[in-house]
């Protein structure tokens, strides 16, 4: 039986123990929360507060996406971050594909605790990309590369067409995000498929070059394609994300405790 994609946003409160931890999670270009919903559910099950918004122009029609701007996508994720930041001690940014680029933007502009990326996009290899601003005037859409999933029977619920105007916006966002990468200082965890028919290794190369001030850890996924959150290695992503978050929080608290102890020892007696 075919599962009807659920494009609705996802939100859950903090339900764990210890410091309050939140995760803002973003889906990919032409996709919707459906593609990363299982990831969000697992993060919520671990006790973290989660916000997974529906990006403007997504989850409806490709014609609506053609009228959206990349700044709207960023502002939507940033608003979700700010909501979590008002409630939590630690906030992580996460995302799939274009959502990975949006997570990096949050990490570069907000004091996140860390970032978790699945096959993040930062470079469009299509030679037509630089011309998209002109092509959009004569070509409204192109066939989409959707459902790049190795696991049989899975459907990410993405658009069947890619609006050229939105592709132009995506290219602009990628270029602006590359500019911001040196501002990322929080640890970054990447899950990268060995076979990805959507995002090439050019994006990973750009990420490595740009993250000059942030520790980077990459795990390769040998049994998944681009939409790895719906693929055979999904559980590795989910459990690895939880482990990463808990490790970063534990290290941060340990460092804070050591700093407080050192400060107390350095205070002269009255």
């Amino acid at each position: 039986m075919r599962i009807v994609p659920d494009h609705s946003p996802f939100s859950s409160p903090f339900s764990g123990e210890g410091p309050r931890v939140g995760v803002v999670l973003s889906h990919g270009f032409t996709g919707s929360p459906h593609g990363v919903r299982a990831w969000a559910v697992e993060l919520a099950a671990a006790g973290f507060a989660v916000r997974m918004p529906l990006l403007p122009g997504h989850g409806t029609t490709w014609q609506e996406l053609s009228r959206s701007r990349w700044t709207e996508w960023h502002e939507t994720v940033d608003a979700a971050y700010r909501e979590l930041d008002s409630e939590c001690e630690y906030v992580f940014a996460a995302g799939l594909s274009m959502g990975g680029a949006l997570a990096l933007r949050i990490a570069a502009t907000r004091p996140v605790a860390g970032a978790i990326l699945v096959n993040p996009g930062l470079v469009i290899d299509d030679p037509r990309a630089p011309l998209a601003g002109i092509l959009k005037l004569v070509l409204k859409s192109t066939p989409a590369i959707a459902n790049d999933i190795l696991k049989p029977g899975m459907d990410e619920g993405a658009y069947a067409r890619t609006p050229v105007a939105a592709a132009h916006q995506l290219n602009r966002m990628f270029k602006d995000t590359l500019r911001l990468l040196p501002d990322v200082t929080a640890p970054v965890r990447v899950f990268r498929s060995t076979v990805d028919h959507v995002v090439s290794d050019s994006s990973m190369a750009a990420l490595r070059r740009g993250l000059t001030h942030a520790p980077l850890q990459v795990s390769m996924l040998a049994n998944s394609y681009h939409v790895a959150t719906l693929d055979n290695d999904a559980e590795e992503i989910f459990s690895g994300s939880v482990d990463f978050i808990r490790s970063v929080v534990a290290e941060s608290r340990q460092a804070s405790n050591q700093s407080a102890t050192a400060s107390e020892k350095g205070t002269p007696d009255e």
Side-chain angles (χ1 to χ4, degrees):
M1 182 178 67
R2 182 179 180 275
I3 298 176
V4 178
D6 183 357
H7 302 309
S8 63
F10 178 89
S11 177
S12 70
F14 176 77
S15 60
E17 299 179 355
R20 299 179 67 86
V21 177
V23 184
V24 56
L25 178 59
S26 178
H27 63 78
F29 182 63
T30 76
S32 79
H34 178 75
V36 288
R37 186 170 302 278
W39 191 9
V41 169
E42 288 296 323
L43 292 170
F48 310 135
V50 179
R51 297 293 185 277
M52 181 180 63
L54 172 65
L55 302 179
H58 292 78
T60 53
T61 64
W62 68 261
Q63 290 88 346
E64 183 171 340
L65 178 58
S66 70
R67 294 188 289 271
S68 66
R69 295 181 178 274
W70 74 262
T71 50
E72 296 177 276
W73 309 334
H74 169 81
E75 288 164 3
T76 298
V77 180
D78 189 61
Y81 165 84
R82 286 184 276 111
E83 182 178 332
L84 284 172
D85 189 49
S86 67
E87 305 171 2
C88 299
E89 185 178 349
Y90 299 91
V91 180
F92 290 77
L96 164 70
S97 194
M98 178 189 76
L102 289 168
L104 286 167
R105 295 187 63 82
I106 300 301
T109 56
R110 299 291 185 182
V112 302
I116 310 169
L117 321 174
V118 177
N119 293 322
L122 287 169
V123 176
I124 300 178
D125 294 313
D126 191 324
R128 297 172 297 177
L131 303 175
I134 298 174
L135 288 175
K136 68 179 183 179
L137 302 176
V138 294
L139 182 64
K140 297 302 181 182
S141 69
T142 60
I145 302 177
N147 287 328
D148 188 33
I149 305 170
L150 178 61
K151 187 176 182 179
M154 302 304 291
D155 180 7
E156 66 172 316
Y159 294 146
R161 306 286 299 180
T162 296
V164 176
H168 175 55
Q169 292 294 317
L170 179 67
N171 193 43
R172 293 179 61 189
M173 188 192 78
F174 280 176
K175 289 183 176 180
D176 192 71
T177 303
L178 289 173
R179 176 185 63 84
L180 294 176
L181 290 183
D183 295 333
V184 179
T185 57
V188 177
R189 182 83 155 88
V190 176
F191 295 92
R192 174 63 177 155
S193 297
T194 55
V195 177
D196 186 333
H197 303 98
V198 178
V199 171
S200 77
D201 288 335
S202 298
S203 288
M204 281 302 301
L207 181 64
R208 292 181 187 277
R209 287 194 303 268
L211 289 182
T212 54
H213 300 101
L216 172 64
Q217 180 183 0
V218 180
S219 294
M220 301 305 296
L221 306 175
N223 201 27
S224 296
Y225 291 163
H226 181 65
V227 191
T229 49
L230 289 177
D231 219 324
N232 296 306
D233 296 306
E235 290 302 325
E236 180 179 341
I237 296 171
F238 304 158
S239 61
S241 299
V242 172
D243 291 344
F244 172 75
I245 291 170
R246 288 175 174 165
S247 174
V248 169
V249 171
E251 290 178 7
S252 176
R253 289 176 65 81
Q254 182 179 16
S256 296
N257 291 337
Q258 290 175 345
S259 178
T261 301
S263 178
E264 291 174 359
K265 290 182 178 179
T267 303
D269 295 333
E270 295 183 355

